[in-house]
Amino acid sequence: MRRLLAFTLLALPLAAQSPPADAAPDAALSAWRTYDFAQSEKLYHDAIAKNANAPEAQAGLIRSLLDEKKIPDARHAADAALKLLPDSAPVLAANADVLYREGDLAGANTDYEKSIELNPELARGWYGIARIAQIDSRYRTAIRVIERAHELDPDDPEIYEFWAFHLPRIDRRRALEHLIDHPGHMAPDHLSTLQSAVAWLITLGNRNSWELASTTDNAKIKLDRVIRNVGGYGPSSGHQTAVALQAVINDKKVRLMIDTGATGIVLSRGAASKAKVRQIYDTVSRGIGDEKDASGYLGWAHSLKIGPIEFHNVPLNVIDGHFPQDCDGLIGVNVFEHFLVTLDIQHSELALAPLPPLLDANKDSTGNYDRYIAPEMKDYLPVLRVGAHILVPTSVDDRPNRVFLLDTGAFDTQVDTKYVDPSKLTALVDIPIRGISGQVKDVLLASNVRIHFGPFVQDNFRMIALNMDKFSEGDGLGIKGILGFPLLSEFRLTFDYRDGLVNFDYLGKH
């Protein structure tokens, strides 16, 4: 049986225990808990200079460097700490945090579990296990484990935030407001994310977001082609197509490009204005590109209609972004997450069908569930899901698997320059590439590589190569590449968002 990661979580205790003896905050920990990462780094360095064998100081330094986005420095600090203290639970958990950020989820999971075996009262170990369970579609497990982490250390801001987002709606709003009221040195974009979440909860009131107003559970939606001039090199040069669908937002017709890398609905300001989308909270959107982030706002629409499917109380992201010609915005396939979704690009069709019923054994009394692979889905590939993003375990040149974003909105397949042999990289001259965050600098071409994901293997493959560090910052998980439209168009893709499964039905080039 194929598994993305191997877990032994059920063998570990979850019984309530007293807080760890070393939980009392010192000056460095207090600085970190108020998001003053530069100060906490300095104080942890000072503590290590006095006593290099202090595990909490070593772990705290690693976390501080990670939160400052100093990934190479965090790796160096973790290696040094492991050499000194190879059997330290806090150091192992902190090293797992680095591995998570680097995209090595199997390694991260191993070290998180080792840390808990050494110290079952280590909150950071439980927190890491909860994060991996969450993205591995084991939501019941994630909730159970984050509650344990929060019991052990309710003052850890990262644990508190993860825990808060899993609370019932009223309690969630109060918990997020507590974080907002005590921001310390919280980064502005982080604070804005929390404020936006609270603003949406206030707007929503007692209503349900994405409320399904239609009754049909089967639909076939015709798609049309989008022409994009992406400049060129090789097979991806010149005019290239994407696919789009017609929708109605607040009784206003819009054309939305299908983008599996997008979250929900993303609209241009002009289209949002014409559709009378209500503005809730100002936001910025970050993506590929080396210029400024795109400004915009969180919006609310009363209704969204796509073929026979209708939703009410729909959140929208409105941005000052660049969309393909004749498109008003983007639509993520996660909009249809309550259906089994088949995207057939070659035949220009999006089909919706019912998901298989969940087994009672996979659910708890409140309806939280862990991944269920129905018999008819035994050949589907288990993937990771971070919000709306689907991340596919992928190998380049037989390297250990790392995660690639499945993104029909990307004009081509892309790889992080650090995940490919430098000898296979050449410069791309005068090929402008833009993302949501503007022009991309230092773009290279990776040639003659072997790419492997799920059932698909191809040699002599070519893809764009660029630095993806900034792209990885949003989810805190190291993303090493993007599976783009030309490659994905060779498959009929079927998505089970509920269980984190994708079927890749190879159709060939067209």
Side-chain angles (χ1 to χ4, degrees), residues 265-311:
I265 305 291
V266 181
L267 279 185
S268 68
R269 279 190 185 267
S273 177
K274 291 177 182 177
K276 295 182 171 54
V277 171
R278 177 181 169 187
Q279 184 169 342
I280 304 301
Y281 193 84
D282 289 337
T283 61
V284 294
S285 298
R286 176 175 298 173
I288 292 289
D290 296 300
E291 300 173 20
K292 67 178 182 179
D293 298 332
S295 62
Y297 61 86
L298 171 67
W300 176 85
H302 169 69
S303 67
L304 167 68
K305 299 176 184 178
I306 302 168
I309 307 299
E310 181 174 358
F311 299 95

Side-chain angles (χ1 to χ4, degrees), residues 110-368:
T110 296
D111 276 8
Y112 284 134
E113 291 194 342
K114 284 182 181 177
S115 74
I116 295 302
E117 290 171 2
L118 290 166
N119 180 5
E121 300 174 3
L122 184 68
R124 294 294 303 186
W126 290 114
Y127 166 62
I129 290 172
R131 284 205 297 175
I132 291 179
Q134 172 79 15
I135 66 175
D136 198 39
S137 298
R138 294 178 297 117
Y139 307 109
R140 178 181 63 177
T141 297
I143 291 171
R144 183 168 62 100
V145 175
I146 197 59
E147 287 175 350
R148 175 68 176 135
H150 182 255
E151 288 173 5
L152 289 167
D153 191 353
D155 295 322
D156 183 307
E158 292 179 351
I159 292 174
Y160 186 93
E161 183 173 330
F162 191 99
W163 169 81
F165 272 104
H166 288 79
L167 294 174
R169 187 184 300 176
I170 295 177
D171 296 331
R172 188 190 323 154
R173 174 181 165 184
R174 292 170 180 164
L176 294 178
E177 286 174 337
H178 172 76
L179 276 175
I180 291 168
D181 289 341
H182 301 82
H185 300 268
M186 186 185 291
D189 57 344
H190 187 184
L191 181 59
S192 177
T193 297
L194 298 178
Q195 291 171 328
S196 179
V198 170
W200 176 249
L201 290 172
I202 292 172
T203 300
L204 198 57
N206 294 324
R207 296 168 293 197
N208 294 318
S209 61
W210 291 105
E211 183 178 6
L212 192 58
S214 51
T215 57
T216 182
D217 55 8
N218 285 276
K220 291 187 177 181
I221 298 164
K222 181 181 178 181
L223 307 178
D224 50 57
R225 299 281 173 166
V226 176
I227 304 300
R228 294 186 290 175
N229 190 340
V230 297
Y233 73 93
S236 298
S237 63
H239 290 85
Q240 182 181 336
T241 59
V243 288
L245 55 75
Q246 304 293 327
V248 179
I249 297 176
N250 289 348
D251 299 322
K252 178 66 177 179
K253 291 182 180 180
V254 293
R255 187 176 188 236
L256 304 174
M257 189 182 87
I258 293 180
D259 183 355
T260 56
T263 299
I265 305 291
V266 181
L267 279 185
S268 68
R269 279 190 185 267
S273 177
K274 291 177 182 177
K276 295 182 171 54
V277 171
R278 177 181 169 187
Q279 184 169 342
I280 304 301
Y281 193 84
D282 289 337
T283 61
V284 294
S285 298
R286 176 175 298 173
I288 292 289
D290 296 300
E291 300 173 20
K292 67 178 182 179
D293 298 332
S295 62
Y297 61 86
L298 171 67
W300 176 85
H302 169 69
S303 67
L304 167 68
K305 299 176 184 178
I306 302 168
I309 307 299
E310 181 174 358
F311 299 95
H312 289 172
N313 308 320
V314 177
L316 304 168
N317 291 307
V318 179
I319 66 170
D320 296 321
H322 297 272
F323 297 108
Q325 188 176 9
D326 298 328
C327 282
D328 300 296
L330 312 173
I331 180 169
V333 180
N334 72 301
V335 164
F336 305 104
E337 64 181 4
H338 298 299
F339 300 88
L340 187 66
V341 186
T342 299
L343 175 59
D344 189 337
I345 293 171
Q346 292 193 20
H347 297 97
S348 301
E349 183 179 83
L350 183 75
L352 306 178
L355 287 165
L358 280 173
L359 299 180
D360 290 340
N362 290 72
K363 297 185 292 186
D364 63 19
S365 58
T366 60
N368 297 311

Side-chain angles (χ1 to χ4, degrees), residues 82 109 159 238:
L82 285 170
N109 184 70
I159 292 174

Side-chain angles (χ1 to χ4, degrees), residues 229-232 411 428-435 438-440 443 464:
N229 190 340
V230 297
F411 79 93
L428 275 178
V429 181
D430 297 328
I431 304 294
I433 295 177
R434 293 189 64 85
Q439 191 79 18
V440 182
V443 179
I464 293 289

